[in-house]
Amino acid sequence: MSEIVKPSTLPGFMELLPKDQILFNEMMDTIRKNFENHGFLPIDTPVIEKSEVLLAKGGGETEKQIYRFQKGDTDMSMRFDLTVPLARYTVQHFSDLSFPFRRYHIGKVYRGEKAQKGRFREFYQCDIDTIGNETLDISNDAEFPVVIYNTFKELGFDEFAIKINNRKVLKGFFSSLGIKDSGDVLRTVDKMDKIGQASVLQELIERGISEEKANKILDFISIEGTNDEIFAKLEELNIEDEIFQEGFGELKTVIEYIKDYDIPEANYAVDLKIARGLDYYTGTVYETILDNYPEIGSVCSGGRYENLASYYTERKLPGVGLSIGLSRLYYQLTQANIVKAEKQSLVDLIVIPMNEYVHEGIRLVSQLRKKGVKCIVYTERNKLGKKFKYADTLDIPYTIVVGEDEVKSGKYTLKNMKSGEQDLFGIDEIVARINNL
Amino acid sequence: MSEIVKPSTLPGFMELLPKDQILFNEMMDTIRKNFENHGFLPIDTPVIEKSEVLLAKGGGETEKQIYRFQKGDTDMSMRFDLTVPLARYTVQHFSDLSFPFRRYHIGKVYRGEKAQKGRFREFYQCDIDTIGNETLDISNDAEFPVVIYNTFKELGFDEFAIKINNRKVLKGFFSSLGIKDSGDVLRTVDKMDKIGQASVLQELIERGISEEKANKILDFISIEGTNDEIFAKLEELNIEDEIFQEGFGELKTVIEYIKDYDIPEANYAVDLKIARGLDYYTGTVYETILDNYPEIGSVCSGGRYENLASYYTERKLPGVGLSIGLSRLYYQLTQANIVKAEKQSLVDLIVIPMNEYVHEGIRLVSQLRKKGVKCIVYTERNKLGKKFKYADTLDIPYTIVVGEDEVKSGKYTLKNMKSGEQDLFGIDEIVARINNL
């Protein structure tokens, strides 16, 4: 006998009980169905890639977090997002793809971050992107809020806001203030909802921006109102910067197209505070906030990028996309009791044969399954109480006990475990009852 | 501009084009649906585990193939099957699970094997197992052929045979010949269908078994006939070995229960040649052969084991299960042209607006989507020919062109791209046409 090893998982790796997994899978199925119904095509890339390919862009915080290792002569890394694999995939299979290439990808990604509550080292991302060959019309930027809207509606949310901005609007405005290198400023502005106005002001000043300009930035990103009111106020500012004008034009166009897509105005809004941390984004940016739970932050983010794959090709591949961090979303929604596992089981019926009637129980289950009933049969030899406890723990809606009487009569007592109601039925009636659930 | 890196994947890592991914996903969905409808519950474990936990069993060929690495102080390994994670999961979450614990798991596993055609280093396994607490009734062994049967039927196969044996029958028979250490003999016998009778004979003799006994083994595993005929012949042999008798009894019982489950006799058969390579199995064993493609070997295998998790607990957890190696199955079926990708797209309709009517095209798509039509809109400014080429390449069943006439009349020409038929319809008629596809 070998030594006993205590079974445990690594910290930062989520693992769920079946009832929670059922809920998680339902959310993932809903996301997938919406992605597919909006015309995005599935891809699935290897979790492990050549390090030289995956890390072609190199540098940055991410690289430290990557699971990278050697096997034989090969230097391999585990993917840390689904965007780099998309870039690699799009270039590698370029001639076999039709552009605009609309793809979705749901899969696990890996980041060896410092473990902390609600941060995972292995987590699911659900990404959609549309990639153009050389050009991609701005109207595509309007379709992503539609997909988010339909997906979150079907996930059971009514009150959420897709916040939309354009980085060129911010960059152009900063430029009009004489701030040329705006990357850090964008990242500071992006923290507004997290750290508040005073801290943003302080951080801007620490970055060497004069108090006057810092206040102007705060005033700018605090512009509020309906989309039309915000646009009117932006017009009034008379900012002549070319980048600003380009971004402003794009933002107005995107909002016009979103109107064509006809999603409720309550569910989307221009928000000049939205900047996104990544330099990668060059135009439209999105975040999604659950109105009643702003503290969990953006549940779905993304944006437009000018060039997907400059590390793999000289071809220009502009795109726009968004990502739902499903593991984090699931964790936050369940922690906050916003969603709750309700099913312990995926079947509607358990057949419980008396110990001498296992053959007959199996025959019944077999007949019911052929008629489309999702059911199982409990075949362990046990006391009846223990058998019912199993049905109870798995919270299976209906039970049928099979004993001498049932076998003789061909009639079975179908018991509704919630209401306690029970009635004697033949097989066809049982099927009708259960399949009309 | 940074240097261009040639985008490529590692050898042995499967990656599919969207049309092939659609087919792959359909197969995976079918498998999942069948697993769920038969009452198996989903689990999803981390791809990376602590090496000390994952490799608790240690030793063997597998260990060399494992992707194992260090991150900080942590020694981690990627899972090489779904059985060790199941063992770990069952013990770790023991008090939260109901037994018999019926679980399915579909996920990627990793083996750094020598790369060769049709062997993958990353591949999907689709596993179902039923785990008992201390005991597990033999009737459970009869349910797995039913799940295989229903799954492969729905995957589109009619002619396949689930071959069933019991390792105790073989072990007991070998023991009756005076062969006590039967592991190697079982592995040799298991190769019968691959290497043929003469080679098995030779290998047995090389393993130190007399020619007389080796011939007896060959005679034994070559016993053929209907299940009842095989049972009658085994009776006639009058083998008194206890293990043989136990296995023979189990095998007969399993076949009886399979009859209760009522799957066609053409689709299952006792086959005394089936031994399975793994020592892990202790009773019933299964393999599944596609009648017309025996050369691709078993497409679904499994069996009964006495103790799932002896490395993690002193508790006895007997189980029975089976596994479909989906990546390998997909590869073989497509290589042999047994299945073929048929869909390039998951939507039924593409709306193609003339360049000046993109807004109107989007509005139409929005209305159609609200009525449940899966559709996309082509919004790039291009010549009409290029737009149709996109619809063609994606093989989308229907197109609608939106221009001045359509917008004025509210009537649209719905074109069936296969038949070339086209007719003028209002929106509700379009919805009715497409959703009745």
Side-chain angles (χ1 to χ4, degrees):
Chain A
M1 188 76 198
S2 54
E3 222 178 307
I4 299 291
V5 176
K6 189 178 179 302
S8 63
T9 49
L10 287 159
F13 286 74
M14 182 189 271
E15 179 167 273
L16 303 173
L17 288 174
K19 72 172 175 11
D20 301 310
Q21 193 68 51
I22 288 172
L23 172 62
F24 188 94
N25 290 358
E26 279 176 356
M27 291 176 65
M28 188 151 69
D29 289 343
T30 298
I31 293 169
R32 175 183 164 193
K33 195 186 81 185
N34 274 280
F35 288 178
E36 291 188 348
N37 287 354
H38 287 83
F40 293 86
L41 295 170
I43 72 166
D44 180 19
T45 70
V47 165
I48 310 176
E49 301 237 14
K50 293 176 186 172
S51 296
E52 59 167 304
V53 172
L54 202 68
L55 308 177
K57 190 178 174 181
E61 266 307 295
T62 325
E63 193 149 351
K64 282 181 229 150
Q65 300 177 349
I66 286 166
Y67 292 113
R68 179 175 182 170
F69 54 94
Q70 203 84 16
K71 180 90 184 167
D73 293 336
T74 315
D75 180 357
M76 329 174 128
S77 294
M78 294 176 78
R79 65 183 179 208
F80 51 90
D81 69 10
L82 301 178
T83 304
V84 177
L86 170 63
R88 196 261 311 137
Y89 183 100
T90 306
V91 177
Q92 187 175 335
H93 304 292
F94 185 83
S95 59
D96 290 313
L97 302 175
S98 304
F99 291 86
F101 174 44
R102 304 160 66 92
R103 87 86 178 79
Y104 81 87
H105 190 176
I106 297 176
K108 287 177 170 181
V109 304
Y110 296 82
R111 292 186 195 169
E113 298 196 68
K114 220 178 123 208
Q116 49 179 310
K117 210 167 162 255
R119 304 295 286 182
F120 297 99
R121 290 172 170 169
E122 174 186 72
F123 55 97
Y124 277 95
Q125 292 210 154
C126 310
D127 281 20
I128 38 175
D129 288 83
T130 299
I131 311 296
N133 181 6
E134 299 296 333
T135 60
L136 184 70
D137 193 77
I138 183 76
S139 58
N140 286 283
D141 299 38
E143 195 179 16
F144 288 81
V146 179
V147 184
I148 305 179
Y149 172 76
N150 287 328
T151 304
F152 277 83
K153 280 293 276 187
E154 201 178 328
L155 285 172
F157 296 98
D158 288 311
E159 298 176 344
F160 57 90
I162 302 153
K163 301 190 167 184
I164 302 163
N165 196 10
N166 190 303
R167 289 191 84 172
K168 289 176 197 164
V169 167
L170 293 174
K171 280 185 124 169
F173 171 68
F174 300 154
S175 166
S176 77
L177 296 178
I179 302 166
K180 294 295 169 203
D181 184 13
S182 55
D184 285 342
V185 179
L186 282 166
R187 272 185 291 276
T188 301
V189 162
D190 193 55
K191 292 190 228 166
M192 186 71 166
D193 284 331
K194 272 176 224 135
I195 64 177
Q197 192 151 333
S199 303
V200 166
L201 185 68
Q202 195 189 333
E203 200 172 303
L204 287 173
I205 292 169
E206 279 165 16
R207 290 197 185 285
I209 292 167
S210 73
E211 198 173 334
E212 191 204 338
K213 285 182 184 173
N215 273 311
K216 278 191 181 164
I217 292 176
L218 278 183
D219 287 347
F220 182 88
I221 62 174
S222 304
I223 293 174
E224 284 185 347
T226 64
N227 297 332
D228 287 340
E229 284 163 7
I230 293 174
F231 290 156
K233 288 177 191 169
L234 287 178
E235 294 282 6
E236 279 168 27
L237 291 178
N238 257 323
I239 300 163
E240 278 175 12
D241 183 273
E242 216 174 287
I243 299 288
F244 173 84
Q245 286 300 336
E246 193 181 316
F248 187 27
E250 287 180 5
L251 190 55
K252 285 189 289 189
T253 307
V254 169
I255 296 295
E256 267 172 43
Y257 280 120
I258 292 179
K259 283 182 188 153
D260 293 329
Y261 274 116
D262 194 26
I263 62 176
E265 299 231 1
N267 294 107
Y268 69 98
V270 170
D271 184 338
L272 299 174
K273 291 189 301 295
I274 305 304
R276 307 294 305 137
L278 293 171
D279 285 337
Y280 179 62
Y281 295 115
T282 51
T284 308
V285 282
Y286 322 98
E287 290 193 355
T288 310
I289 302 295
L290 304 179
D291 294 349
N292 303 316
Y293 310 95
E295 67 279 7
I296 71 178
S298 176
V299 294
C300 177
S301 313
R304 157 77 73 150
Y305 36 90
E306 239 152 48
N307 209 347
L308 174 69
S310 61
Y311 304 95
Y312 306 128
T313 180
E314 282 170 16
R315 209 186 289 273
K316 199 176 156 204
L317 300 170
V320 52
L322 65 82
S323 180
I324 302 176
L326 180 57
S327 300
R328 191 169 157 73
L329 176 64
Y330 170 87
Y331 175 82
Q332 289 170 317
L333 294 179
T334 49
Q335 285 292 304
N337 265 311
I338 304 169
V339 302
K340 243 186 94 175
E342 277 169 4
K343 283 189 214 156
Q344 294 271 359
S345 168
L346 295 166
V347 295
D348 297 320
L349 168 70
I350 180 167
V351 170
I352 299 178
M354 308 297 280
N355 286 344
E356 305 74 35
Y357 291 90
V358 171
H359 283 285
E360 290 79 3
I362 289 178
R363 276 178 227 145
L364 176 62
V365 153
S366 172
Q367 284 178 278
L368 291 170
R369 282 182 176 166
K370 282 183 185 161
K371 292 172 191 272
V373 175
K374 298 175 200 167
C375 54
I376 56 173
V377 51
Y378 186 97
T379 55
E380 305 311 291
R381 268 68 175 178
N382 258 324
K383 289 189 182 141
L384 202 56
K386 208 163 171 191
K387 295 181 182 183
F388 269 102
K389 194 164 171 258
Y390 184 75
D392 254 359
T393 325
L394 285 179
D395 200 25
I396 297 172
Y398 288 94
T399 56
I400 289 175
V401 174
V402 175
E404 197 183 347
D405 291 351
E406 287 77 11
V407 170
K408 276 192 181 148
S409 68
K411 296 267 186 187
Y412 303 88
T413 304
L414 182 69
K415 182 173 180 184
N416 180 323
M417 296 296 277
K418 269 221 173 81
S419 66
E421 276 180 274
Q422 51 181 53
D423 266 304
L424 209 60
F425 292 118
I427 286 182
D428 288 336
E429 288 163 298
I430 296 170
V431 174
R433 279 270 158 152
I434 293 185
N435 287 350
N436 290 338
L437 266 184
Chain B
M1 187 75 198
S2 54
E3 220 178 309
I4 299 290
V5 176
K6 188 177 180 300
S8 64
T9 49
L10 287 159
F13 286 73
M14 182 189 273
E15 179 167 271
L16 303 173
L17 289 173
K19 73 172 176 9
D20 301 312
Q21 193 68 50
I22 289 172
L23 173 62
F24 188 93
N25 290 358
E26 279 175 356
M27 291 175 65
M28 189 151 64
D29 289 343
T30 298
I31 293 168
R32 176 182 164 194
K33 194 184 84 183
N34 274 280
F35 287 178
E36 291 188 347
N37 288 354
H38 287 83
F40 293 86
L41 295 169
I43 74 167
D44 180 20
T45 70
V47 165
I48 311 176
E49 302 236 14
K50 293 176 186 173
S51 295
E52 59 168 303
V53 172
L54 202 68
L55 308 177
K57 191 178 172 180
E61 265 309 294
T62 325
E63 194 150 349
K64 281 182 228 151
Q65 301 177 349
I66 287 166
Y67 292 113
R68 178 176 182 169
F69 54 95
Q70 203 85 17
K71 180 92 183 165
D73 292 336
T74 315
D75 180 357
M76 329 173 125
S77 294
M78 295 176 78
R79 65 182 180 209
F80 52 90
D81 69 9
L82 300 178
T83 304
V84 177
L86 170 64
R88 197 259 313 138
Y89 183 100
T90 306
V91 177
Q92 188 176 333
H93 305 290
F94 184 83
S95 59
D96 290 312
L97 302 175
S98 304
F99 291 86
F101 174 44
R102 303 159 68 91
R103 87 85 178 81
Y104 81 87
H105 190 177
I106 297 176
K108 286 177 170 181
V109 305
Y110 296 83
R111 292 187 196 169
E113 298 196 70
K114 220 179 123 208
Q116 48 177 310
K117 206 164 166 260
R119 304 297 283 184
F120 298 100
R121 290 171 172 172
E122 174 187 71
F123 55 97
Y124 278 95
Q125 291 210 153
C126 310
D127 280 23
I128 38 174
D129 288 83
T130 299
I131 311 296
N133 180 5
E134 300 296 333
T135 61
L136 183 71
D137 194 76
I138 184 76
S139 57
N140 286 282
D141 299 37
E143 195 179 16
F144 288 80
V146 179
V147 183
I148 306 179
Y149 172 76
N150 288 326
T151 305
F152 277 84
K153 279 293 275 190
E154 201 177 329
L155 285 173
F157 296 97
D158 289 312
E159 296 175 344
F160 57 90
I162 303 154
K163 301 192 168 182
I164 302 163
N165 197 8
N166 190 303
R167 290 190 85 173
K168 290 176 196 165
V169 167
L170 293 174
K171 279 184 125 170
F173 171 68
F174 300 156
S175 166
S176 78
L177 294 178
I179 302 165
K180 293 298 169 198
D181 184 14
S182 54
D184 286 343
V185 180
L186 281 166
R187 274 184 290 278
T188 301
V189 163
D190 192 56
K191 294 190 227 166
M192 185 72 167
D193 283 333
K194 275 176 222 136
I195 65 177
Q197 191 151 334
S199 303
V200 167
L201 186 67
Q202 196 188 334
E203 201 173 303
L204 287 173
I205 292 168
E206 280 164 14
R207 290 196 185 285
I209 290 167
S210 73
E211 197 172 333
E212 192 202 339
K213 285 181 184 174
N215 273 311
K216 278 190 178 163
I217 291 174
L218 278 182
D219 287 347
F220 182 87
I221 63 175
S222 305
I223 293 174
E224 284 184 348
T226 63
N227 297 332
D228 286 339
E229 284 164 5
I230 293 174
F231 290 155
K233 287 178 191 166
L234 288 177
E235 295 280 8
E236 280 169 26
L237 292 178
N238 256 320
I239 299 163
E240 279 173 16
D241 183 273
E242 218 174 288
I243 298 288
F244 173 85
Q245 287 300 335
E246 194 182 315
F248 187 29
E250 287 180 6
L251 190 55
K252 284 190 289 188
T253 307
V254 169
I255 296 295
E256 266 172 45
Y257 281 120
I258 293 179
K259 282 183 189 154
D260 293 329
Y261 275 115
D262 195 26
I263 63 175
E265 300 231 0
N267 293 108
Y268 68 97
V270 170
D271 185 338
L272 299 174
K273 290 190 300 295
I274 304 302
R276 306 296 304 138
L278 294 171
D279 284 338
Y280 181 62
Y281 295 113
T282 50
T284 308
V285 283
Y286 322 99
E287 290 193 356
T288 311
I289 303 294
L290 303 178
D291 293 350
N292 303 317
Y293 310 95
E295 66 279 8
I296 70 179
S298 177
V299 293
C300 176
S301 314
R304 157 77 73 150
Y305 37 91
E306 238 152 50
N307 209 348
L308 173 68
S310 60
Y311 304 97
Y312 306 127
T313 180
E314 283 172 16
R315 209 185 287 275
K316 201 177 155 202
L317 300 170
V320 53
L322 65 82
S323 180
I324 302 175
L326 179 56
S327 300
R328 192 168 155 74
L329 177 63
Y330 170 88
Y331 176 83
Q332 289 169 316
L333 294 179
T334 48
Q335 286 291 306
N337 265 312
I338 303 168
V339 301
K340 243 186 94 175
E342 277 170 4
K343 285 189 214 159
Q344 294 271 359
S345 168
L346 294 167
V347 294
D348 297 321
L349 167 69
I350 180 167
V351 170
I352 299 178
M354 308 297 281
N355 286 345
E356 305 75 34
Y357 292 89
V358 171
H359 283 286
E360 291 78 3
I362 289 178
R363 277 177 226 146
L364 176 62
V365 153
S366 173
Q367 285 179 279
L368 292 170
R369 281 182 178 167
K370 282 182 186 165
K371 293 173 190 270
V373 176
K374 297 176 201 165
C375 55
I376 57 173
V377 50
Y378 186 98
T379 56
E380 305 310 292
R381 270 67 175 177
N382 259 325
K383 290 193 182 136
L384 201 57
K386 209 165 172 189
K387 295 180 181 185
F388 269 102
K389 192 164 173 258
Y390 184 75
D392 254 359
T393 324
L394 284 179
D395 201 24
I396 298 174
Y398 288 94
T399 57
I400 289 175
V401 174
V402 174
E404 197 183 347
D405 292 350
E406 288 77 10
V407 171
K408 278 194 182 146
S409 67
K411 296 265 186 188
Y412 304 87
T413 303
L414 182 70
K415 182 171 179 185
N416 181 322
M417 296 294 278
K418 273 230 167 76
S419 67
E421 276 181 273
Q422 50 182 54
D423 266 304
L424 208 60
F425 292 118
I427 286 182
D428 288 337
E429 288 163 298
I430 295 169
V431 174
R433 278 271 159 151
I434 292 184
N435 287 350
N436 290 337
L437 267 183

